[in-house]
Amino acid sequence: MKAWKISGSIVLFLYVVISVFIYIRKVDGAGVVQTPEMRNITLIIWGVFGLIILIGYLIWLEVLKHSKK
């Protein structure tokens, strides 16, 4: 359970750092200027990815809780 908390904290920290990076960058890796609309679209895509990761972590938590019984 301790490993779950540590890895979850690390993933959350990295997710927030990358989200801030996406929000403040002026030009992306392909050279496209990031308008507010483009930033919002990118953050929505990043949010969907984060939701998938969150679901995986919650499933992992249930497996850990079930295996302790």
Side-chain angles (χ1 to χ4, degrees), residues 10-53:
I10 292 170
V11 169
L12 178 63
F13 175 75
L14 289 174
Y15 186 82
V16 169
V17 168
I18 294 171
S19 297
V20 169
F21 173 73
I22 288 172
Y23 189 74
I24 64 172
R25 69 182 178 175
K26 302 284 187 218
V27 179
D28 70 359
V32 177
V33 176
Q34 295 293 292
T35 63
E37 293 84 12
M38 290 296 291
R39 284 188 186 124
N40 288 339
I41 291 169
T42 306
L43 286 172
I44 289 169
I45 294 169
W46 185 242
V48 170
F49 173 73
L51 186 62
I52 293 169
I53 298 299

Side-chain angles (χ1 to χ4, degrees), residues 48-66:
V48 170
F49 173 73
L51 186 62
I52 293 169
I53 298 299
L54 177 65
I55 291 169
Y57 264 93
L58 293 175
I59 291 170
W60 185 18
L61 176 63
E62 286 301 316
V63 168
L64 286 175
K65 283 184 177 180
H66 188 63

